[in-house]
Amino acid sequence: MRTLVIAAVLVTSLAAHAKPWQGIEPGVSKRDEIVQKFGEPSRVVTSEGKEIIAYFGKEAVKGTHQAQFRVDPGTKLVERIDVFPGPVIDRDTIENSYGPACPAGPVPASPCYLKKLTDDFRTYYLYPKLGLAIFFNEDGKTVQSFIFTTLKAAK
């Protein structure tokens, strides 16, 4: 379910750069940089023609339950990063860290979010200028996951 929404909203593109996570930047960083930075992954699988490099369990990246890096097998470029945080992160922390809601009218130059709903009516914030989508748990107040992608893909 959520994958379909994410795919619709975050259509993968290699043309624009996004906000990096832990030094890995979608559209810029290569596959080898992931393994150099985080070590051998827990699992590597192929899904929809993309290589998914996952870290979870004892290999989880510090501060996460799981992190997944989607890599184009041809170019070896990181296209998207899915992060499932370990600590509880609330909406206020998100707004203080990444920016407030976008005002009505033209989108300002500074980062702001558009409030969206998934197919199963869960809230997420889309920060198009950062290439970032933040999905909330069922409570609508705490973060379930972050998705970092290229700026063009986040539009």
Side-chain angles (χ1 to χ4, degrees):
M1 287 178 259
R2 183 166 298 138
T3 304
L4 295 175
V5 172
I6 294 168
V9 174
L10 302 173
V11 177
T12 305
S13 167
L14 300 176
H17 308 294
K19 185 166 187 57
W21 181 75
Q22 299 279 337
I24 304 297
E25 185 174 351
V28 175
S29 298
K30 296 274 191 167
R31 182 196 192 285
D32 292 345
E33 294 174 59
I34 299 166
V35 176
Q36 286 175 345
K37 182 154 186 85
F38 302 114
E40 287 302 314
S42 306
R43 186 171 296 150
V44 177
V45 297
T46 301
S47 176
E48 299 175 4
K50 303 297 178 183
E51 184 177 37
I52 310 297
I53 300 168
Y55 292 87
F56 54 87
K58 64 183 182 172
E59 290 89 16
V61 176
K62 186 176 179 179
T64 73
H65 287 295
Q66 185 173 159
Q68 300 176 5
F69 300 84
R70 183 171 299 198
V71 176
D72 180 285
T75 64
K76 303 294 184 197
L77 280 173
V78 174
E79 292 184 345
R80 183 173 121 181
I81 307 166
D82 295 32
V83 179
F84 301 86
V88 175
I89 301 172
D90 63 21
R91 290 165 81 159
D92 289 340
T93 302
I94 294 302
E95 289 190 28
N96 290 332
S97 298
Y98 297 106
C102 295
V107 177
S110 59
C112 62
Y113 69 83
L114 302 170
K115 187 175 180 180
K116 305 275 190 172
L117 288 175
T118 65
D119 286 342
D120 60 355
F121 302 104
R122 288 199 184 178
T123 301
Y124 70 98
Y125 290 175
L126 177 64
Y127 285 88
K129 291 190 180 291
L130 299 177
L132 174 63
I134 301 170
F135 292 83
F136 291 90
N137 288 309
E138 288 181 11
D139 65 10
K141 298 176 184 175
T142 57
V143 174
Q144 187 254 346
S145 64
F146 295 85
I147 295 181
F148 297 81
T149 188
T150 60
L151 294 178
K152 186 172 182 182
K155 294 187 180 198

